[in-house]
Amino acid sequence: MDGNNIILEMKDVCFSYTDRQRKVLDHVSFKLKKGEKTGLIGTNGSGKTTLLHIIMGLVPISSGNMRIFGKPVKSGKDFDAVRQKIGLLFQNADDQLFSPTVLEDVAFGPLNLGKTPRQAREMAEKTLAELNLKGFENRVTHKLSGGEKKLVSLATVLVMSPEVLLLDEPTTGLDESARERIIAVLNKLDISCVIVSHEYDFLARTTRFIYSMKDGRTEYNGDSAALHTHYHSHTAGKLPHVHEMGRLG
Amino acid sequence: MIGEPFSDKKSSAGTSLLHRTDPRIKIIFLTLYSFAVAMLSRFPSLIAALFVSLALIFLARTNLRDLAARLFVVNVPVFFFWLLLPLTFEAEPLFCAGPFTVSGPGIVYAARITLKSNAILLAFIALAATSSVVTLGHAMNRLHVPEKIIHLLLLTYRYVFVIEQEYRKLRIAAKVRCFRPKTDMHTYRTYSYLLGMLFVRAAARAERVHHAMLCRGFKGKFYCLSEFSLTRADITGALLMTGAMIVLEILEWTEIILFWK
């Protein structure tokens, strides 16, 4: 891929909270190319979520440069354009779903993009149908299960047709079947993704390249296929079963 | 657990006449009716208002058990008015019971408060609680109520459950470490910590929610998806309610029923 395909480029980005001395991000350099699916793994507090928030302009960087879609981004106005093309799935679905009903929450983004209520409603219904959430339109968001909340959160982002998807621990707290649904949805998407997770297994099945974060820095770990040869967790439990890359003895 | 028994499937999704009435009409008449009843002072009009409210309840086909529970909550303070007002109202005594002097105007005041509060509550249950909070919010939007108020209502409705869950988690966290509430400093301190932590968490969540809204292009303006249209039944209902309020005012301002003068 040539340089024109670079969607996101961070160079020597530093970030620290004003009340803390330690740098959360310490001269981080990171690139994301068009169509690339990248995983980000790291311990708690290593700065993974902060990195995603910086990309969305939710927290200002202390120093360094960022270019998104080839343009330098610094001020709030620059990020208005970024937010139309990049979607962020929050770690906690209750933070993402603030409207009383599913339909309203999914239609919130298109309405902000200037769509008419009818268009926004159609877009929301279409996205929900694509995620097999037809019939959820009038469900009350706080009464959804954890997996349903996560899928609806994903719908609220996908309805805006983002070119890049940032996902912050999308499988945290989900059971195996909800996790499998998320994996199936993500593997169907043909857009660039940055997925933050604690689970190598999950990243191995959804991303191509894996980076790790440690002490406020990113480090390229390699191709996910090479890093991982089989899955650790599976729905078969203790029963004899076949691994995708080999047979269990 | 915080519940919403009047506006879940049992109630707001009902099929009664009032469930099908345009929520804008219901909000307008509920507001006008509440003010009208609050300003009534004569018993003929107050009793008539109670009958109008009961008629609305009948039209709403409300679950009577839920209704009784709501009425009980409102009538607890009313009961204290009945205890205090006749004894403390400065007027000529009606009769004496031991050291206590019961005044007639005190009883009249307590009766007025009882009739007014119950009439307004019954109308509220029949008119407002037959729509979901979301529908009411959208109807308020169509009635040009300031957007900030509406979204404050809707966001409160959305997050009151989340905050309640967090409070329950905090209480369980205290309970599993053998916390037993007593009347002592340790209990007061613990509850103040729980409350403080709840505010801290609510503030942190508010910030995260705001971030989530910004990420989806929020620029300070909320939009409404719902569309409402007036039907013939809505117009008939509006005329009936207007008629009922006119009758109440006639009873209040004329001396048709001389007995109550």
Side-chain angles (χ1 to χ4, degrees):
Chain A
M1 274 185 202
D2 58 37
N4 292 335
N5 277 332
I6 294 175
I7 287 177
L8 165 69
E9 187 176 13
M10 299 173 93
K11 208 170 181 187
D12 284 331
V13 168
C14 296
F15 174 78
S16 56
Y17 290 103
T18 44
D19 55 342
R20 287 177 227 168
Q21 280 195 332
R22 187 179 74 86
K23 279 182 179 169
V24 181
L25 298 186
D26 186 10
H27 296 280
V28 166
S29 294
F30 179 75
K31 276 181 191 172
L32 181 74
K33 291 175 185 169
K34 198 174 177 183
E36 208 169 73
K37 294 195 174 179
T38 299
L40 206 55
I41 201 160
T43 54
N44 289 335
S46 58
K48 307 183 296 294
T49 299
T50 306
L51 185 79
L52 300 188
H53 285 200
I54 280 174
I55 294 170
M56 296 303 285
L58 298 176
V59 284
I61 56 174
S62 309
S63 64
N65 296 304
M66 269 208 309
R67 291 176 76 86
I68 300 179
F69 296 107
K71 289 179 186 167
V73 281
K74 283 175 187 167
S75 67
K77 274 192 177 175
D78 300 332
F79 285 105
D80 282 346
V82 167
R83 289 170 194 154
Q84 291 182 17
K85 293 181 179 176
I86 301 182
L88 169 63
L89 182 82
F90 279 65
Q91 190 175 341
N92 187 343
D94 271 323
D95 296 339
Q96 187 122 19
L97 303 175
F98 46 81
S99 300
T101 65
V102 168
L103 184 72
E104 283 174 288
D105 222 311
V106 180
F108 178 80
L111 287 169
N112 288 329
L113 293 179
K115 305 288 178 196
T116 64
R118 179 172 288 190
Q119 287 171 328
R121 180 185 285 269
E122 283 169 5
M123 288 167 77
E125 285 170 349
K126 187 171 166 247
T127 310
L128 287 170
E130 282 169 2
L131 292 177
N132 287 328
L133 294 171
K134 214 170 178 182
F136 276 63
E137 290 84 354
N138 294 317
R139 294 271 301 271
V140 177
T141 46
H142 73 260
K143 288 184 178 169
L144 300 173
S145 71
E148 289 168 347
K149 275 184 187 171
K150 201 55 111 176
L151 280 167
V152 172
S153 299
L154 195 55
T156 66
V157 178
L158 292 179
V159 73
M160 297 174 78
S161 307
E163 292 178 36
V164 181
L165 192 56
L166 310 177
L167 299 108
D168 193 358
E169 299 189 23
T171 53
T172 303
L174 298 188
D175 63 23
E176 197 59 33
S177 71
R179 189 172 175 269
E180 289 299 322
R181 274 183 87 177
I182 296 277
I183 289 171
V185 169
L186 293 180
N187 284 335
K188 263 192 204 169
L189 293 176
D190 192 23
I191 55 174
S192 313
C193 293
V194 178
I195 305 177
V196 163
S197 179
H198 285 293
E199 303 169 51
Y200 257 121
D201 298 340
F202 174 69
L203 290 183
R205 293 178 66 187
T206 50
T207 61
R208 174 79 194 276
F209 307 107
I210 297 185
Y211 287 78
S212 64
M213 282 204 77
K214 201 180 172 189
D215 300 327
R217 287 169 185 257
T218 52
E219 190 179 295
Y220 179 58
N221 284 16
D223 194 305
S224 62
L227 283 167
H228 224 70
T229 53
H230 69 275
Y231 309 140
H232 288 293
S233 57
H234 37 71
T235 50
K238 290 177 181 173
L239 297 169
H241 58 277
V242 178
H243 276 271
E244 205 165 284
M245 295 184 187
R247 191 169 176 80
L248 186 75
Chain B
M1 201 64 183
I2 293 172
E4 204 191 358
F6 281 110
S7 51
D8 62 8
K9 281 184 182 169
K10 274 194 287 183
S11 180
S12 71
T15 53
S16 77
L17 184 69
L18 286 183
H19 284 90
R20 285 180 276 125
T21 303
D22 189 314
R24 293 171 300 175
I25 297 282
K26 292 197 282 187
I27 290 173
I28 291 170
F29 280 99
L30 177 60
T31 311
L32 293 175
Y33 183 76
S34 301
F35 276 108
V37 173
M39 286 190 285
L40 297 178
S41 59
R42 297 179 66 209
F43 280 97
S45 49
L46 283 170
I47 290 170
L50 192 65
F51 276 108
V52 170
S53 299
L54 285 170
L56 289 172
I57 286 288
F58 176 75
L59 287 175
R61 283 190 272 153
T62 308
N63 182 311
L64 293 179
R65 222 168 144 179
D66 291 337
L67 180 69
R70 289 292 185 279
L71 288 178
F72 175 77
V73 172
V74 167
N75 282 293
V76 168
V78 169
F79 172 73
F80 285 101
F81 282 124
W82 276 98
L83 280 184
L84 294 173
L85 280 175
L87 300 176
T88 56
F89 206 86
E90 282 183 23
E92 210 166 292
L94 191 67
F95 62 88
C96 293
F100 301 108
T101 316
V102 178
S103 74
I107 292 176
V108 170
Y109 254 82
R112 275 192 192 130
I113 291 170
T114 309
L115 288 171
K116 280 185 192 187
S117 54
N118 282 285
I120 292 173
L121 180 74
L122 289 170
F124 186 88
I125 290 170
L127 293 171
T130 44
S131 296
S132 68
V133 175
V134 182
T135 310
L136 289 177
H138 290 165
M140 285 161 71
N141 180 277
R142 290 286 176 263
L143 291 170
H144 301 287
V145 173
E147 283 190 354
K148 280 186 181 168
I149 291 178
I150 297 164
H151 290 96
L152 207 58
L153 169 80
L154 294 180
L155 286 174
T156 304
Y157 168 69
R158 168 67 183 91
Y159 283 101
V160 73
F161 298 96
V162 178
I163 291 170
E164 191 222 5
Q165 276 172 12
E166 294 205 347
Y167 174 68
R168 291 167 76 88
K169 280 183 203 165
L170 289 170
R171 268 188 59 180
I172 289 169
K175 209 172 175 180
V176 295
R177 283 187 281 157
C178 302
F179 172 69
R180 299 281 175 275
K182 291 175 195 159
T183 312
D184 59 9
M185 276 310 287
H186 174 66
T187 302
Y188 301 146
R189 197 182 297 117
T190 305
Y191 273 114
S192 63
Y193 286 163
L194 290 186
L195 206 62
M197 189 51 72
L198 202 63
F199 281 124
V200 169
R201 287 190 185 188
R205 185 176 292 279
E207 196 182 347
R208 294 198 299 270
V209 171
H210 185 236
H211 280 166
M213 292 165 90
L214 288 177
C215 286
R216 287 199 273 154
F218 179 66
K219 293 184 191 80
K221 176 145 178 67
F222 286 97
Y223 303 88
C224 179
L225 274 181
S226 300
E227 284 164 17
F228 301 106
S229 58
L230 281 178
T231 62
R232 195 173 285 176
D234 295 326
I235 295 165
T236 311
L239 289 172
L240 283 173
M241 279 301 289
T242 309
M245 283 194 288
I246 290 170
V247 170
L248 291 182
E249 290 307 314
I250 289 171
L251 289 173
E252 178 69 12
W253 295 105
T254 62
E255 297 180 0
I256 291 171
I257 303 172
L258 294 170
F259 176 76
W260 291 99
K261 204 165 65 168

